[in-house]
PDB file of all heavy atoms in Angstrom:
ATOM      1  N   GLY A 193       0.034  10.701  -0.398  1.00 98.00           N
ATOM      2  CA  GLY A 193       0.360   9.928   0.761  1.00 98.00           C
ATOM      3  C   GLY A 193       1.133   8.726   0.456  1.00 98.00           C
ATOM      4  O   GLY A 193       1.697   8.523  -0.682  1.00 98.00           O
ATOM      5  N   TYR A 194       1.181   7.725   1.355  1.00 99.00           N
ATOM      6  CA  TYR A 194       1.942   6.509   1.279  1.00 99.00           C
ATOM      7  C   TYR A 194       1.104   5.389   1.793  1.00 99.00           C
ATOM      8  O   TYR A 194       0.193   5.486   2.634  1.00 99.00           O
ATOM      9  CB  TYR A 194       3.215   6.545   2.069  1.00 99.00           C
ATOM     10  CG  TYR A 194       4.156   7.477   1.528  1.00 99.00           C
ATOM     11  CD1 TYR A 194       4.231   8.811   1.952  1.00 99.00           C
ATOM     12  CD2 TYR A 194       5.211   7.168   0.558  1.00 99.00           C
ATOM     13  CE1 TYR A 194       5.144   9.763   1.356  1.00 99.00           C
ATOM     14  CE2 TYR A 194       6.078   8.024   0.038  1.00 99.00           C
ATOM     15  CZ  TYR A 194       6.047   9.325   0.493  1.00 99.00           C
ATOM     16  OH  TYR A 194       6.935  10.231  -0.122  1.00 99.00           O
ATOM     17  N   LYS A 195       1.407   4.133   1.311  1.00 98.00           N
ATOM     18  CA  LYS A 195       0.854   2.913   1.880  1.00 98.00           C
ATOM     19  C   LYS A 195       1.986   2.072   2.365  1.00 98.00           C
ATOM     20  O   LYS A 195       3.104   1.994   1.746  1.00 98.00           O
ATOM     21  CB  LYS A 195       0.034   2.095   0.802  1.00 98.00           C
ATOM     22  CG  LYS A 195       0.697   1.820  -0.398  1.00 98.00           C
ATOM     23  CD  LYS A 195       1.293   0.461  -0.631  1.00 98.00           C
ATOM     24  CE  LYS A 195       0.906  -0.828  -0.061  1.00 98.00           C
ATOM     25  NZ  LYS A 195       0.211  -1.643  -1.039  1.00 98.00           N
ATOM     26  N   MET A 196       1.771   1.514   3.589  1.00 98.00           N
ATOM     27  CA  MET A 196       2.699   0.561   4.075  1.00 98.00           C
ATOM     28  C   MET A 196       2.230  -0.876   3.648  1.00 98.00           C
ATOM     29  O   MET A 196       0.939  -1.102   3.519  1.00 98.00           O
ATOM     30  CB  MET A 196       2.862   0.589   5.588  1.00 98.00           C
ATOM     31  CG  MET A 196       3.575   1.811   6.081  1.00 98.00           C
ATOM     32  SD  MET A 196       5.366   1.724   5.630  1.00 98.00           S
ATOM     33  CE  MET A 196       5.956   0.583   6.942  1.00 98.00           C
ATOM     34  N   GLY A 197       3.134  -1.721   3.454  1.00 98.00           N
ATOM     35  CA  GLY A 197       2.739  -3.120   3.156  1.00 98.00           C
ATOM     36  C   GLY A 197       3.448  -4.145   3.833  1.00 98.00           C
ATOM     37  O   GLY A 197       4.623  -3.888   4.386  1.00 98.00           O
ATOM     38  N   LEU A 198       2.970  -5.347   3.992  1.00 98.00           N
ATOM     39  CA  LEU A 198       3.605  -6.534   4.599  1.00 98.00           C
ATOM     40  C   LEU A 198       3.932  -6.176   6.033  1.00 98.00           C
ATOM     41  O   LEU A 198       5.057  -6.456   6.585  1.00 98.00           O
ATOM     42  CB  LEU A 198       4.941  -6.998   3.800  1.00 98.00           C
ATOM     43  CG  LEU A 198       4.576  -7.179   2.311  1.00 98.00           C
ATOM     44  CD1 LEU A 198       5.896  -7.633   1.628  1.00 98.00           C
ATOM     45  CD2 LEU A 198       3.609  -8.312   2.161  1.00 98.00           C
ATOM     46  N   THR A 199       2.901  -5.542   6.693  1.00 98.00           N
ATOM     47  CA  THR A 199       3.088  -5.192   8.154  1.00 98.00           C
ATOM     48  C   THR A 199       2.354  -6.231   9.045  1.00 98.00           C
ATOM     49  O   THR A 199       2.374  -5.963  10.300  1.00 98.00           O
ATOM     50  CB  THR A 199       2.596  -3.800   8.364  1.00 98.00           C
ATOM     51  OG1 THR A 199       1.325  -3.612   7.804  1.00 98.00           O
ATOM     52  CG2 THR A 199       3.609  -2.673   7.715  1.00 98.00           C
ATOM     53  N   SER A 200       1.686  -7.201   8.474  1.00 98.00           N
ATOM     54  CA  SER A 200       1.063  -8.177   9.375  1.00 98.00           C
ATOM     55  C   SER A 200       1.520  -9.606   9.084  1.00 98.00           C
ATOM     56  O   SER A 200       1.963  -9.853   7.856  1.00 98.00           O
ATOM     57  CB  SER A 200      -0.503  -8.073   9.260  1.00 98.00           C
ATOM     58  OG  SER A 200      -0.870  -8.604   7.921  1.00 98.00           O
ATOM     59  N   ALA A 201       1.411 -10.534  10.053  1.00 97.00           N
ATOM     60  CA  ALA A 201       1.855 -11.905   9.795  1.00 97.00           C
ATOM     61  C   ALA A 201       1.065 -12.536   8.783  1.00 97.00           C
ATOM     62  O   ALA A 201       1.546 -13.240   7.931  1.00 97.00           O
ATOM     63  CB  ALA A 201       1.709 -12.573  11.132  1.00 97.00           C
ATOM     64  N   ALA A 202      -0.239 -12.151   8.629  1.00 96.00           N
ATOM     65  CA  ALA A 202      -1.157 -12.769   7.590  1.00 96.00           C
ATOM     66  C   ALA A 202      -0.595 -12.415   6.255  1.00 96.00           C
ATOM     67  O   ALA A 202      -0.563 -13.267   5.382  1.00 96.00           O
ATOM     68  CB  ALA A 202      -2.504 -12.296   7.862  1.00 96.00           C
ATOM     69  N   LYS A 203      -0.379 -11.223   6.039  1.00 96.00           N
ATOM     70  CA  LYS A 203       0.119 -10.662   4.703  1.00 96.00           C
ATOM     71  C   LYS A 203       1.525 -11.322   4.347  1.00 96.00           C
ATOM     72  O   LYS A 203       1.756 -11.647   3.207  1.00 96.00           O
ATOM     73  CB  LYS A 203       0.226  -9.214   4.715  1.00 96.00           C
ATOM     74  CG  LYS A 203      -1.201  -8.459   4.578  1.00 96.00           C
ATOM     75  CD  LYS A 203      -1.788  -8.760   3.201  1.00 96.00           C
ATOM     76  CE  LYS A 203      -0.924  -8.262   2.095  1.00 96.00           C
ATOM     77  NZ  LYS A 203      -1.570  -8.501   0.746  1.00 96.00           N
ATOM     78  N   ARG A 204       2.343 -11.354   5.366  1.00 95.00           N
ATOM     79  CA  ARG A 204       3.696 -11.778   5.165  1.00 95.00           C
ATOM     80  C   ARG A 204       3.674 -13.322   4.769  1.00 95.00           C
ATOM     81  O   ARG A 204       4.313 -13.796   3.790  1.00 95.00           O
ATOM     82  CB  ARG A 204       4.574 -11.634   6.348  1.00 95.00           C
ATOM     83  CG  ARG A 204       4.910 -10.129   6.568  1.00 95.00           C
ATOM     84  CD  ARG A 204       5.618  -9.938   7.855  1.00 95.00           C
ATOM     85  NE  ARG A 204       6.050  -8.509   7.839  1.00 95.00           N
ATOM     86  CZ  ARG A 204       6.898  -8.001   8.728  1.00 95.00           C
ATOM     87  NH1 ARG A 204       7.576  -8.750   9.605  1.00 95.00           N
ATOM     88  NH2 ARG A 204       7.245  -6.660   8.648  1.00 95.00           N
ATOM     89  N   ALA A 205       2.729 -14.081   5.435  1.00 94.00           N
ATOM     90  CA  ALA A 205       2.583 -15.406   5.040  1.00 94.00           C
ATOM     91  C   ALA A 205       1.974 -15.602   3.672  1.00 94.00           C
ATOM     92  O   ALA A 205       2.407 -16.465   2.904  1.00 94.00           O
ATOM     93  CB  ALA A 205       1.755 -16.097   6.075  1.00 94.00           C
ATOM     94  N   GLN A 206       1.019 -14.743   3.419  1.00 91.00           N
ATOM     95  CA  GLN A 206       0.292 -14.850   2.059  1.00 91.00           C
ATOM     96  C   GLN A 206       1.244 -14.555   0.901  1.00 91.00           C
ATOM     97  O   GLN A 206       1.236 -15.316  -0.078  1.00 91.00           O
ATOM     98  CB  GLN A 206      -0.865 -13.794   1.934  1.00 91.00           C
ATOM     99  CG  GLN A 206      -1.649 -13.964   0.640  1.00 91.00           C
ATOM    100  CD  GLN A 206      -2.907 -12.996   0.636  1.00 91.00           C
ATOM    101  OE1 GLN A 206      -2.922 -11.883   1.118  1.00 91.00           O
ATOM    102  NE2 GLN A 206      -3.961 -13.445  -0.078  1.00 91.00           N
ATOM    103  N   MET A 207       2.209 -13.586   1.054  1.00 92.00           N
ATOM    104  CA  MET A 207       3.091 -13.304   0.023  1.00 92.00           C
ATOM    105  C   MET A 207       4.486 -13.996   0.084  1.00 92.00           C
ATOM    106  O   MET A 207       5.297 -13.790  -0.813  1.00 92.00           O
ATOM    107  CB  MET A 207       3.266 -11.751  -0.169  1.00 92.00           C
ATOM    108  CG  MET A 207       1.987 -10.976  -0.274  1.00 92.00           C
ATOM    109  SD  MET A 207       0.716 -11.772  -1.365  1.00 92.00           S
ATOM    110  CE  MET A 207       1.502 -11.570  -2.952  1.00 92.00           C
ATOM    111  N   GLY A 208       4.671 -14.574   1.235  1.00 92.00           N
ATOM    112  CA  GLY A 208       6.053 -15.315   1.429  1.00 92.00           C
ATOM    113  C   GLY A 208       7.167 -14.356   1.580  1.00 92.00           C
ATOM    114  O   GLY A 208       8.339 -14.702   1.206  1.00 92.00           O
ATOM    115  N   LEU A 209       6.870 -13.116   2.172  1.00 94.00           N
ATOM    116  CA  LEU A 209       7.959 -12.086   2.361  1.00 94.00           C
ATOM    117  C   LEU A 209       7.744 -11.571   3.729  1.00 94.00           C
ATOM    118  O   LEU A 209       6.644 -11.478   4.183  1.00 94.00           O
ATOM    119  CB  LEU A 209       7.728 -10.985   1.209  1.00 94.00           C
ATOM    120  CG  LEU A 209       7.923 -11.361  -0.164  1.00 94.00           C
ATOM    121  CD1 LEU A 209       7.446 -10.241  -1.089  1.00 94.00           C
ATOM    122  CD2 LEU A 209       9.354 -11.665  -0.513  1.00 94.00           C
ATOM    123  N   ASP A 210       8.781 -11.084   4.357  1.00 94.00           N
ATOM    124  CA  ASP A 210       8.682 -10.697   5.725  1.00 94.00           C
ATOM    125  C   ASP A 210       9.394  -9.300   6.154  1.00 94.00           C
ATOM    126  O   ASP A 210       9.780  -9.157   7.301  1.00 94.00           O
ATOM    127  CB  ASP A 210       9.132 -11.712   6.687  1.00 94.00           C
ATOM    128  CG  ASP A 210      10.612 -12.055   6.503  1.00 94.00           C
ATOM    129  OD1 ASP A 210      11.326 -11.332   5.700  1.00 94.00           O
ATOM    130  OD2 ASP A 210      11.217 -12.947   7.180  1.00 94.00           O
ATOM    131  N   THR A 211       9.283  -8.423   5.209  1.00 97.00           N
ATOM    132  CA  THR A 211       9.795  -6.996   5.537  1.00 97.00           C
ATOM    133  C   THR A 211       8.799  -6.035   5.186  1.00 97.00           C
ATOM    134  O   THR A 211       8.129  -6.084   4.120  1.00 97.00           O
ATOM    135  CB  THR A 211      11.099  -6.743   4.616  1.00 97.00           C
ATOM    136  OG1 THR A 211      12.056  -7.898   4.811  1.00 97.00           O
ATOM    137  CG2 THR A 211      11.792  -5.533   5.005  1.00 97.00           C
ATOM    138  N   SER A 212       8.662  -4.987   6.078  1.00 98.00           N
ATOM    139  CA  SER A 212       7.751  -3.900   5.759  1.00 98.00           C
ATOM    140  C   SER A 212       8.245  -3.056   4.604  1.00 98.00           C
ATOM    141  O   SER A 212       9.463  -2.761   4.576  1.00 98.00           O
ATOM    142  CB  SER A 212       7.558  -2.958   6.941  1.00 98.00           C
ATOM    143  OG  SER A 212       7.073  -3.684   8.036  1.00 98.00           O
ATOM    144  N   ILE A 213       7.368  -2.687   3.696  1.00 98.00           N
ATOM    145  CA  ILE A 213       7.643  -1.910   2.548  1.00 98.00           C
ATOM    146  C   ILE A 213       6.726  -0.722   2.370  1.00 98.00           C
ATOM    147  O   ILE A 213       5.637  -0.760   3.052  1.00 98.00           O
ATOM    148  CB  ILE A 213       7.630  -2.752   1.220  1.00 98.00           C
ATOM    149  CG1 ILE A 213       6.175  -3.510   1.119  1.00 98.00           C
ATOM    150  CG2 ILE A 213       8.757  -3.862   1.325  1.00 98.00           C
ATOM    151  CD1 ILE A 213       6.142  -4.308  -0.186  1.00 98.00           C
ATOM    152  N   TYR A 214       7.036   0.207   1.501  1.00 98.00           N
ATOM    153  CA  TYR A 214       6.044   1.284   1.287  1.00 98.00           C
ATOM    154  C   TYR A 214       5.842   1.519  -0.156  1.00 98.00           C
ATOM    155  O   TYR A 214       6.650   1.058  -1.068  1.00 98.00           O
ATOM    156  CB  TYR A 214       6.348   2.532   1.960  1.00 98.00           C
ATOM    157  CG  TYR A 214       7.621   3.409   1.394  1.00 98.00           C
ATOM    158  CD1 TYR A 214       7.542   4.173   0.336  1.00 98.00           C
ATOM    159  CD2 TYR A 214       8.843   3.191   2.051  1.00 98.00           C
ATOM    160  CE1 TYR A 214       8.650   4.858  -0.158  1.00 98.00           C
ATOM    161  CE2 TYR A 214       9.840   3.927   1.615  1.00 98.00           C
ATOM    162  CZ  TYR A 214       9.851   4.796   0.476  1.00 98.00           C
ATOM    163  OH  TYR A 214      10.918   5.517  -0.024  1.00 98.00           O
TER     164      TYR A 214
END
Side-chain angles (χ1 to χ4, degrees):
Y194 291 91
K195 52 96 34 104
M196 285 293 281
L198 307 179
T199 51
S200 67
K203 283 293 304 184
R204 289 177 174 192
Q206 184 176 33
M207 304 320 291
L209 296 168
D210 63 2
T211 308
S212 303
I213 55 176
Y214 70 82

